[in-house]
Amino acid sequence: MRNNCGTSSKRPPGGMTLVEVVAGTAILGTVLASVIIADARLTAQARKAAAMQEACEVADGLLEGWWSGQAPLPRNDEGTAAAGGRWRWRMRVVPNKQAEALGAEVVALEIFDASRGSNEPAARVELMVARKEHAFTDGTDAD
């Protein structure tokens, strides 16, 4: 190749221009940023799934204690689970006309993460049980 002065300049084979280097760096930066964002989302999702699993285990333990007769099944009540005080529970009656027609009621057990102060339940279980005024102390139905 000749330049304007009549001398020849040769670019070494395989070399890259500054524009090519900048474009490659921009593409690499975009890919790395995407990977970091995806990893952060995956980590948050895994943390939420672990908390949900733990909340389900707490709910299972509470229900097991109530069904085994250690304590009566509460209605419209709340408390703290024994799992280190991290979890709080709330039980409330949910209006359901079909259940009422059968002499039953629907109660919802909600488990909250007290350490996060969230008002969104980490787990929720709805149960259909005999209405309190229709149940004997041993849990059998009066009818």
Side-chain angles (χ1 to χ4, degrees):
M1 228 192 219
R2 289 200 163 282
N3 63 17
N4 291 340
C5 297
T7 61
S8 65
S9 69
K10 294 186 179 179
R11 191 170 67 150
M16 296 175 27
T17 66
L18 181 59
V19 172
E20 293 170 332
V21 171
V22 169
T25 304
I27 291 170
L28 182 62
T30 303
V31 170
L32 287 176
S34 298
V35 168
I36 291 170
I37 290 170
D39 182 57
R41 288 181 181 166
L42 180 65
T43 303
Q45 186 177 9
R47 187 174 32 253
K48 186 175 180 180
M52 187 180 295
Q53 181 178 357
E54 188 177 345
C56 288
E57 291 171 1
V58 167
D60 186 52
L62 288 169
L63 290 171
E64 181 181 347
W66 291 326
W67 286 122
S68 68
Q70 295 174 6
L73 186 70
R75 282 139 168 100
N76 297 318
D77 199 3
E78 58 185 61
T80 303
R86 175 182 175 187
W87 300 100
R88 61 184 178 85
W89 60 268
R90 177 175 62 195
M91 181 79 83
R92 60 190 172 104
V93 177
V94 178
N96 186 306
K97 292 183 183 200
Q98 292 86 1
E100 291 171 8
L102 297 171
E105 63 186 352
V106 175
V107 292
L109 170 62
E110 297 174 321
I111 307 293
F112 300 91
D113 189 347
S115 66
R116 291 181 46 214
S118 175
N119 289 330
E120 182 74 25
R124 178 184 166 99
V125 180
E126 289 189 2
L127 310 163
M128 185 169 17
V129 296
R131 272 201 310 246
K132 206 167 191 177
E133 61 268 12
H134 288 280
F136 291 117
T137 57
D138 65 357
T140 58
D141 196 70
D143 294 332

